[in-house]
Amino acid sequence: MNPINRKGYRLLHEGSFAFGRAERAGIRIDEQYCHKQLKSLENKERKLEKKIFNSKPGATWRSLYGSRAKLGSPDQLKAVLKKHYGLRIEGSVDKTVLASYNLPLLWAILRVRKLHKTRTTYLRGIASETLDGYLHPFFNLHTARTYRSSSSRPNFQNIPVRDPEVAKIVRRAFIARNGHCLVEIDYGAVEVRVAACYHEDPRMIRYLKTGFDMHGEMGAECYRTKKSQVSKDMRYAAKNRFVFPEFYGSYHKQVAPDLWNAIQELKLSLNDGTSLHTHLRKRGIKNFEDFGDHIERVEDRFWYEKFARYTEWKEEWLAAYRKTGYFDLKTGFRCRGWMRRNEVINYPIQGSAFHCLLWSFTRLDEEMRKRKMRSVIVGQIHDSILADVHLNELEDYIELATYISTKAIRKHWEWITLPLIVDVEIAPPDGTWYDKKERKVV
DNA sequence: TCGTTCACGC
DNA sequence: GACGTACGTGAACGAA
C-alpha cells in the first residue's frame, strides 16, 4: 500500500473499518435450503455421471482408466476423444472449445462441470462458512494490485448471475433479515466515467452526458446494421466481445473471432428476425476473412476517429510512466514497479473507480450509524453495495445511498467531472437475492 | 505442496 | 508498423 497523501491514507483506513462492520454484520443464509439443494445437486450429478459412463464413449473411458476414470480430468478427456472419435485436441478443453464440437458427450461433460461448480464452489462454500444462519465473507483492501478490493471465504464477488439456472440455485440461499429486504445499488458504467475523468475525451464525455447507447451503436457497426435493427442479444455481444475487451486493451485479432462465434453461440438475429449471417452476406461479408477485415476497420474508427483524444491520453500516460517509473491515482495513491502497457493504462482507472465505491460505502455506513438505522450494509462487489434494509427505512436508505454515491462524492472529489449514476435493485421482503428487480433512479 | 486448468464475478 | 485483453478466488487434478 502506498498512499501518497492524507486522503489516500484515510480512504483505506476508514474503509477497512467500514468493511469490517459489514463482515461482522453478515448476510442471512437459508441453511435448510442450502442443504436441500446440496443433496439434490449431488443426485443430479451422480445420475448424469452414471449416464455418461454407460454411453458408448463412456465405455471407452472406463476401458482406458477403469476405477481411476474421472470426468473432471482434462488429460483423460483428451485421451478418450482421441481414442473414441479420433479427435485430437491440443491445449485447452474449456467451455468454448468443447461447445464448438457439438457432441453429446461434450455437452454432458459441460453439464456435469456446471452442476459440480454450483455445488462445490458455491453452495458448499457458502454452507461451510455460515454460522448460526449468517455468512461473513472477508473483504480485503490489501491484496489486489489495482487498488481494488478482493473477497474470500467465501468469495462474495463471484456469485453466479449471468446463467439464469445457476443464479437461481445459488442466489436463493441469500435472504433478508425478518422485516427487511435486500437492496443492491450499482454504479452505472463507473469505469468508463472515471476513465473519462483521466483522458477527458470530448466525444466520450458527450456520450456519457447524454446517456448515449454506446453498446447499441457498436452492435450496429460490428454487424453492419442500422441502429434500429440491433437486437438485445447483438447489443450484449457487442458490449462483452467488443467494447469491454477494447477498453481492457484487446484488439481486433482477438475480438473478431469472438464476435463471429457469438453469431452461432447466441443465435444472433436482427430485430426483425433476419439471421445475422444472411444479413452480413447481403452487406458483402461472406466469411470470417471478410468479417475480420471489417472489424479491423471498426476498431480503427473506434480508437482513431471516435475516441482520438482517449488514444492520445493512453500514449501520453504510458510515456510518462516509462520516463518516471510511476503514476498517480486521482484518489491519492502512487503505483510503482515493472508494469506492462495494459496494466499501466488499466490500473488507474480500475483503482479509482473502485475507490468511488469505497468512499460511498464508508460514508453510507457512517451516516447509517449516525442516524441509528436498523438497516445494515452486508457486502460489496467492486461497483455495487448490498444492504439488508428495514422495510420502514427503505425510502430513506435509497435516497441516502443515491445522494452519497452520486452527489456527495463529487463535493469530496472535484476531479470527478462527470455525472455518476446508480441503478437500484430491490428484492421483495419475503424474497431472496435472486428475486431482485431493477428500479431506475438517477 | 504446488503449478496448471477450469469456472465464476466485475 | 507492430504490439496487444485488466483484476480477483476456489476447486480439482496430477506431478513432485
Side-chain angles (χ1 to χ4, degrees):
Chain A
M1 283 299 152
N2 189 12
I4 51 168
N5 62 36
R6 195 157 188 85
K7 270 190 169 176
Y9 172 76
R10 282 187 54 182
L11 182 69
L12 295 191
H13 186 94
E14 290 165 17
S16 57
F17 280 101
F19 277 4
R21 278 186 283 272
E23 289 169 352
R24 185 163 23 160
I27 305 156
R28 193 173 176 203
I29 296 296
D30 185 342
E31 289 184 284
Q32 246 197 320
Y33 168 84
C34 282
H35 290 112
K36 215 178 74 193
Q37 281 299 322
L38 277 168
K39 274 192 190 151
S40 141
L41 281 167
E42 205 179 342
N43 276 330
K44 283 184 195 163
E45 221 176 300
R46 205 181 302 134
K47 271 189 192 161
L48 185 51
E49 206 173 302
K50 220 179 231 170
K51 203 173 148 192
I52 293 172
F53 280 129
N54 285 332
S55 72
K56 278 192 180 166
T60 307
W61 203 312
R62 277 184 290 120
S63 77
L64 279 175
Y65 295 99
S67 61
R68 293 200 324 280
K70 281 175 186 165
L71 293 184
S73 165
D75 290 346
Q76 291 187 13
L77 175 59
K78 278 186 239 188
V80 171
L81 288 171
K82 196 169 140 200
K83 171 133 194 198
H84 194 85
Y85 297 99
L87 196 64
R88 281 184 81 96
I89 300 183
E90 309 268 335
S92 175
V93 282
D94 66 13
K95 201 158 65 170
T96 29
V97 173
L98 295 196
S100 72
Y101 289 96
N102 198 18
L103 284 173
L105 170 72
L106 298 184
W107 289 119
I109 295 279
L110 288 178
R111 176 112 190 116
V112 174
R113 282 188 189 171
K114 185 161 115 171
L115 293 170
H116 190 75
K117 175 87 172 167
T118 307
R119 180 168 68 86
T120 57
T121 301
Y122 295 110
L123 284 173
R124 193 175 70 190
I126 292 163
S128 66
E129 292 288 344
T130 298
L131 190 67
D132 298 329
Y134 288 86
L135 181 68
H136 306 269
F138 290 103
F139 294 104
N140 310 302
L141 285 172
H142 65 291
T143 58
R145 287 154 43 94
T146 50
Y147 289 96
R148 263 192 179 185
S149 66
S150 71
S151 170
S152 57
R153 293 190 61 186
N155 182 351
F156 185 67
Q157 298 178 321
N158 71 346
I159 307 292
V161 65
R162 288 184 196 169
D163 181 321
E165 185 194 8
V166 182
K168 184 173 182 180
I169 295 171
V170 179
R171 286 180 179 244
R172 283 199 297 177
F174 294 83
I175 57 177
R177 290 157 168 80
N178 292 335
H180 288 228
C181 64
L182 295 175
V183 178
E184 194 173 339
I185 298 203
D186 291 60
Y187 272 118
V190 66
E191 280 192 14
V192 181
R193 287 166 196 277
V194 165
C197 298
Y198 277 85
H199 58 63
E200 298 180 312
D201 183 287
R203 183 109 169 224
M204 181 74 84
I205 290 171
R206 199 163 69 237
Y207 276 18
L208 291 169
K209 282 191 173 163
T210 56
F212 191 83
D213 179 17
M214 187 190 304
H215 304 315
E217 177 175 273
M218 293 323 295
E221 286 197 32
C222 290
Y223 296 118
R224 293 209 64 176
T225 66
K226 289 182 201 148
K227 194 88 186 284
S228 61
Q229 295 175 302
V230 176
S231 62
K232 216 178 153 190
D233 289 343
M234 284 168 60
R235 183 182 181 280
Y236 181 81
K239 172 182 163 189
N240 291 309
R241 303 189 186 213
F242 183 85
V243 180
F244 283 155
E246 289 284 346
F247 282 152
Y248 286 140
S250 191
Y251 75 125
H252 61 96
K253 278 201 189 310
Q254 294 262 351
V255 158
D258 283 353
L259 284 166
W260 183 255
N261 291 338
I263 302 175
Q264 281 280 340
E265 265 176 64
L266 308 178
K267 300 190 183 356
L268 296 183
S269 56
L270 303 191
N271 245 347
D272 59 16
T274 327
S275 109
L276 206 46
H277 279 306
T278 314
H279 170 81
L280 286 171
R281 220 170 297 126
K282 255 190 278 177
R283 306 297 302 259
I285 295 171
K286 290 184 284 295
N287 50 37
F288 174 67
E289 287 277 346
D290 297 345
F291 187 72
D293 293 344
H294 163 63
I295 294 300
E296 189 175 354
R297 288 193 295 273
V298 172
E299 181 183 60
D300 269 354
R301 269 206 302 282
F302 190 80
W303 287 116
Y304 295 109
E305 290 174 29
K306 275 200 177 108
F307 303 122
R309 179 66 202 118
Y310 193 161
T311 304
E312 276 171 24
W313 174 83
K314 291 201 281 192
E315 298 313 318
E316 291 164 12
W317 186 262
L318 184 65
Y321 161 73
R322 286 187 173 156
K323 194 169 167 198
T324 62
Y326 69 85
F327 57 82
D328 290 337
L329 272 58
K330 288 182 185 289
T331 46
F333 300 87
R334 178 158 294 175
C335 296
R336 288 184 175 284
W338 193 91
M339 283 176 268
R340 282 164 292 190
R341 173 197 167 89
N342 285 343
E343 294 172 328
V344 174
I345 293 163
N346 289 331
Y347 287 7
I349 294 166
Q350 261 186 25
S352 311
F354 168 70
H355 287 159
C356 290
L357 188 281
L358 181 59
W359 188 87
S360 301
F361 187 109
T362 306
R363 276 291 294 127
L364 181 57
D365 173 64
E366 183 188 0
E367 192 61 29
M368 286 165 73
R369 284 183 296 117
K370 207 179 274 173
R371 296 185 186 189
K372 300 198 188 308
M373 288 170 74
R374 280 175 288 185
S375 308
V376 281
I377 303 178
V378 293
Q380 155 274 134
I381 313 174
H382 305 305
D383 63 357
S384 78
I385 294 173
L386 182 69
D388 193 326
V389 177
H390 192 278
L391 294 175
N392 293 343
E393 298 172 352
L394 186 56
E395 288 312 314
D396 286 349
Y397 173 77
I398 292 171
E399 197 191 314
L400 181 64
T402 304
Y403 173 75
I404 287 172
S405 47
T406 63
K407 299 292 189 297
I409 193 169
R410 296 191 58 187
K411 290 181 188 152
H412 176 72
W413 275 328
E414 290 184 349
W415 60 265
I416 304 176
T417 46
L418 282 153
L420 296 182
I421 58 169
V422 291
D423 288 342
V424 180
E425 291 172 299
I426 308 171
D430 52 350
T432 70
W433 198 11
Y434 175 70
D435 303 304
K436 67 178 183 179
K437 291 268 185 306
E438 191 162 341
R439 179 177 136 173
K440 265 270 198 280
V441 175
V442 177

